[in-house]
Amino acid sequence: MNNRRPARKALYVALFLGLAALVTFLRLLPMQDYGAAASDSSGALFGLSARDWPAPDFLLCLTLAWIVRRPDLLPAPVIAAYFLFEDLLLLRPPGLWALVVLLATEFLRTRAGLLRGFGFWLEYAIVFGLMLTMFLANRALLAIVMMPNAPLDLSFAQFLGTVLAYPAVVAVLHYVLKLRKPATGEVDVLGQKL
């Protein structure tokens, strides 16, 4: 009976790592249509056509939504290690985005009891503010150390796409993977408070 909880946690960690690997793999695929004319800018928003719009950061949405729902099933070392791996894979400054994401998830983890009682729209507002802080902090730190940074309109477009993708990721976690916030006072099989 005591082995059930660690096995369940390991199963959810493996599920997160599998989903994260899938998102990273899809991010690395070349999705651009090389045969299309580059001069077509019809329907441009912020100077970007629909073809040039950056993909949302689904991994960030997945991580934040998971931490809001079940912080006990996703340890901080797993988050730090995977985002460090992604930093190295995507040739970003090693550890910078991993540190920003780790600080954000720990901020949410310490407020898990408070977030449990909030409805979705208040949770969404908190996550929106946190994502904005994360993107601005990352840009500021890159500017301080004089690292090359993506253009502001491109970063803003990715931030906007990430914020708009968050409800879809929450819906998938809730309805498909059945990863929900525990009710106030809910206990697990062993009688321990969730």
Side-chain angles (χ1 to χ4, degrees), residues 7 14 32 42 49 55 59 61 67 73 86 89 110 119-120 150 161 181 189:
Q32 203 173 40
S42 59
S49 67
L59 183 57
C61 292
I67 288 294
L73 297 178
E86 193 186 45
L89 194 62
T110 58
F120 173 74
K181 292 181 194 177
V189 184

Side-chain angles (χ1 to χ4, degrees), residues 84 87-88 92-98:
L84 178 62
D87 281 348
L88 295 172
R92 294 188 297 224
L96 178 62
W97 186 242

Side-chain angles (χ1 to χ4, degrees), residues 45-65:
L45 181 64
F46 297 117
L48 298 169
S49 67
R51 192 170 25 96
D52 297 330
W53 196 266
D57 192 348
F58 287 110
L59 183 57
L60 178 63
C61 292
L62 175 69
T63 306
L64 294 180

